Amino acid sequence: MLKRLSIFAIYLFIATFANITFAKSQPEYYETRVYSFKTLEQKKVVEDYFKDAAIPAFNRLGINSVGVFNEADQKDGIKLYVLIPYKSLEQFSKIGSKLASDAVYQQAAKAYLDANFATPAYERYESSLSVAFKDWTKLKVPTTSAPKSERVYEYRLYESHSEVKGLSKIHMFNEGGEINIFVRLGFNPVFYAQTIIGGKQPNLVYMTTFDNKASRDEHWKAFGADSEWNRIKVLPEYDHAMTKAEIHFLTPTDFSQI
């Protein structure tokens, strides 16, 4: 039994590395920023920065579908979530120098970039980098006609107690078929990704979309009752694959591209 589990763990590591490095459909990379503010005035500076400076500059560089979201309940204070998709690690690594040489961006971003010590644009922001799953290599802008003010974007972070179990949970989404269940039940997924730089490691992150809170609750009820989900969740290879789920309910800003 131990030998079989060890072989399974090695397979997961090799398969994941191979998918990240050599997949025919190269996976995207996602930078997730979480800004923290003391005041709404600070938050407006950062919102204006993304609306008027950063997103237009990203778009000029071929980086599209940038998401900017408010946290619905603000249980941890005033936050702003930003999701930036990159086609490659090279594109991610060059973004700083590209923005630094963009005169239009520098002028539009002046209030944000030149904020002084007494009136900072934000208290801090945390940033993480993740790589898309092999079975969902590209971000998909959700298809919904619901007004932005009513939509619910559910951002989930799943922690595991070890690297091997973290890879096991990713395997559950891909080969195990968990992504297929989300799609079949109409969860309107945006992305699925493995965090490669950031806190709370090892973890994976993903985002799904709903027309409203009632729709979200109905979808998760259907997920819990789904026969295929109830079959795969008890498979021994996925035992204790995930130890903690961190859930955030987000609403898109009026200028968000997701």
Side-chain angles (χ1 to χ4, degrees):
M1 178 64 176
L2 288 176
K3 183 178 180 181
R4 187 163 70 249
L5 287 175
S6 297
I7 293 172
F8 178 73
I10 293 170
Y11 163 76
L12 282 175
F13 177 81
I14 294 173
T16 302
F17 179 82
N19 285 324
I20 291 174
T21 311
F22 304 114
K24 289 182 181 179
S25 176
Q26 289 297 322
E28 293 180 325
Y29 291 80
Y30 306 117
E31 182 186 5
T32 303
R33 298 186 189 182
V34 183
Y35 286 83
S36 298
F37 311 100
K38 282 187 177 179
T39 68
L40 292 175
E41 288 76 17
Q42 283 182 314
K43 183 169 179 282
K44 187 175 187 309
V45 171
V46 177
E47 287 176 332
D48 288 346
Y49 161 72
F50 278 100
K51 179 178 65 175
D52 300 328
I55 290 179
F58 285 140
N59 291 170
R60 289 194 295 273
L61 294 170
I63 299 170
N64 301 303
S65 302
V66 178
V68 184
F69 308 90
N70 295 300
E71 190 160 27
D73 54 20
Q74 296 189 14
K75 60 183 177 181
D76 297 319
I78 307 171
K79 306 280 189 183
L80 194 70
Y81 284 71
V82 181
L83 177 65
I84 309 167
Y86 299 94
K87 295 180 178 67
S88 66
L89 280 177
E90 182 181 18
Q91 188 180 49
F92 168 74
S93 69
K94 292 181 177 179
I95 190 63
S97 60
K98 294 285 188 181
L99 294 178
S101 62
D102 184 335
V104 175
Y105 163 81
Q106 291 291 322
Q107 181 60 37
K110 199 168 181 59
Y112 173 90
L113 296 175
D114 294 346
N116 63 41
F117 175 80
T119 56
Y122 50 82
E123 295 306 300
R124 282 293 181 270
Y125 77 81
E126 298 178 1
S127 178
S128 63
L129 185 69
S130 59
V131 60
F133 284 4
K134 74 177 190 64
D135 281 7
W136 199 277
T137 58
K138 308 297 180 189
L139 181 149
K140 294 187 178 180
V141 176
T143 54
T144 175
S145 58
K148 281 188 173 182
S149 59
E150 296 178 11
R151 295 180 204 170
V152 172
Y153 288 69
E154 187 165 357
Y155 176 78
R156 288 193 171 212
L157 183 151
Y158 286 174
E159 298 179 39
S160 298
H161 75 271
S162 72
E163 290 94 328
V164 168
K165 281 301 183 179
L167 293 176
S168 176
K169 184 59 183 174
I170 292 170
H171 186 278
M172 189 177 188
F173 272 92
N174 290 312
E175 289 82 359
E178 190 170 349
I179 286 178
N180 293 336
I181 298 172
F182 279 105
V183 173
R184 172 166 53 80
L185 295 179
F187 272 68
N188 220 346
V190 176
F191 75 94
Y192 296 92
Q194 176 186 7
T195 301
I196 53 177
I197 300 175
K200 302 176 182 178
Q201 296 273 27
N203 73 69
L204 64 86
V205 289
Y206 69 97
M207 179 181 283
T208 51
T209 317
F210 310 93
D211 288 349
N212 50 53
K213 185 60 164 57
S215 173
R216 179 266 175 194
D217 294 344
E218 291 169 2
H219 278 81
W220 276 110
K221 183 178 179 180
F223 189 94
D226 187 78
S227 59
E228 181 62 10
W229 166 244
N230 283 286
R231 181 189 71 80
I232 67 172
K233 76 176 184 180
V234 296
L235 293 175
E237 58 263 42
Y238 302 135
D239 187 38
H240 297 299
M242 185 264 288
T243 55
K244 182 180 178 182
E246 185 177 297
I247 302 171
H248 300 274
F249 296 112
L250 308 178
T251 56
T253 60
D254 58 4
F255 57 88
S256 177
Q257 296 181 324
I258 299 175

